[in-house]
Amino acid sequence: MNAIISASELEGALAGENPPVLLDVRWQLSVAKAAGEPPFDGRAEYEAGHIPGAVYVDLDRELAGPPGERGRHPLPDVAQFGAAMRRAGVSAATPVVVYDGGQGWAAARAWWMLRWTGHPDVRVLDGGLPSWQEQLSVEVPTPAEGDFEPVPAPADLLDADDAAALARAGVLLDARAGERYRGEVEPIDRIGGHIPGAVSAPTTENVGADGRFLPAEELRARFKALGAGDGTEVGVYCGSGVSGAHEVLALAVAGVPAALYVGSWSEWSSDPSRPVAVGPDPQ
């Protein structure tokens, strides 16, 4: 099953016999506080207009736990996540489609969380809300309680030690911007640089100017050139496990399975005992 769905395909699915549950996960990494501006409010954006029937999901509160030693967006309590998904109407036998404001990162985090915990049919709206050309709604639905019970898959998840080992034995992709990977700038975390052995693979290069994923063949070629493919074990990390989920999604589109280090650089860099590499060389 393809991990993404086009707006036209979604329109057809919503009119079908088993329409998907729609989750709106609008979110963005905000540096507004530093600029003295109010932070991005995903719920307000949702209430101003969303795809009819969509339920809002809060990334910071429902797809992540409180920030701390495990990173800025650590895994939430699995039971609490399951309860949030059931409140949103998610059931095991019902397909789910997730979208955000167009960047794709937040939707990918929801996709990854549901896939990691065992939901068999989850897709991301390619291009997000901007790709939806039909009328929006301001009506906030009250879905029937779902029955989804999350069962995590350990093989899809990396911790810091796993990531360090994979950078040596397989391929560990760093989904952040190249300048953060190289350690030239670090606007958020304690120190810049990357996990020794990790390969720079900015997730922004997985999409075109319209925010939609590149064709699967192009993505497959890109990841193969980075060493990911042909049976190689692949892992991904980013700043806090959000844009990294988008890279895992791009890899899925390309047909390459990959695990996610959710703690990512925000966890790794918080521990002074862990090594840090700088510059363009993985080592």
Side-chain angles (χ1 to χ4, degrees), residues 191-266:
I191 189 173
H194 58 270
I195 297 174
V199 177
S200 180
T203 198
T204 52
E205 296 179 14
N206 296 323
V207 298
D210 59 359
R212 300 182 190 185
F213 281 103
L214 299 176
E217 299 78 12
E218 292 184 29
L219 289 172
R220 196 172 299 117
R222 179 187 187 226
F223 290 124
K224 185 175 182 179
L226 293 169
D230 298 328
T232 304
E233 188 176 359
V234 180
V236 180
Y237 76 97
C238 58
S240 64
V242 179
S243 67
H246 190 268
E247 185 116 300
V248 174
L249 175 58
L251 284 154
V253 172
V256 180
L260 179 65
Y261 172 26
V262 173
S264 286
W265 190 249
S266 59

Side-chain angles (χ1 to χ4, degrees), residues 49-187:
H50 50 267
I51 298 176
V55 178
Y56 180 71
V57 173
D58 190 311
L59 185 149
D60 289 316
R61 293 177 176 83
E62 296 174 312
L63 302 181
E69 292 183 355
R70 294 185 300 133
R72 283 192 307 280
H73 291 102
L75 290 173
D77 176 84
V78 171
Q80 291 178 0
F81 168 70
M85 292 299 98
R86 290 191 294 275
R87 284 196 301 271
V90 175
S91 291
T94 304
V96 178
V97 172
V98 191
Y99 71 89
D100 58 23
Q103 187 181 43
W105 295 3
R109 172 72 175 226
W111 168 85
W112 183 85
M113 288 289 304
L114 283 164
R115 294 291 292 167
W116 171 62
T117 53
H119 198 287
D121 190 351
V122 190
R123 286 180 285 179
V124 169
L125 176 59
D126 194 16
L129 188 61
S131 71
W132 181 258
Q133 300 299 308
E134 303 302 316
Q135 188 172 358
L136 299 180
S137 172
V138 296
E139 181 180 349
V140 177
T142 304
E145 183 86 0
D147 64 14
F148 178 64
E149 293 289 345
V151 180
D156 295 335
L157 179 67
L158 303 174
D159 62 18
D161 291 338
D162 295 331
L166 187 56
R168 303 297 182 189
V171 175
L172 181 65
L173 300 178
D174 185 317
R176 298 172 300 158
E179 58 268 25
R180 291 184 69 189
Y181 169 88
R182 296 187 295 270
E184 297 166 358
V185 299
E186 182 43 65

Side-chain angles (χ1 to χ4, degrees), residues 186 188-192 265-266 268-274 276:
E186 182 43 65
I188 306 173
D189 294 312
R190 183 183 68 85
I191 189 173
W265 190 249
S266 59
W268 183 279
S269 64
S270 69
D271 183 349
S273 71
R274 293 200 177 276
V276 171

Side-chain angles (χ1 to χ4, degrees), residues 6-92:
S6 69
S8 61
E9 290 171 332
L10 175 58
E11 188 178 358
L14 290 171
E17 295 182 357
N18 187 26
V21 170
L22 272 178
L23 304 181
D24 182 313
V25 198
R26 270 179 275 184
W27 170 93
Q28 67 184 39
L29 180 63
S30 176
V31 292
K33 290 182 179 179
E37 300 173 3
F40 178 83
D41 189 337
R43 182 174 290 278
E45 295 286 328
Y46 164 81
E47 291 175 350
H50 50 267
I51 298 176
V55 178
Y56 180 71
V57 173
D58 190 311
L59 185 149
D60 289 316
R61 293 177 176 83
E62 296 174 312
L63 302 181
E69 292 183 355
R70 294 185 300 133
R72 283 192 307 280
H73 291 102
L75 290 173
D77 176 84
V78 171
Q80 291 178 0
F81 168 70
M85 292 299 98
R86 290 191 294 275
R87 284 196 301 271
V90 175
S91 291

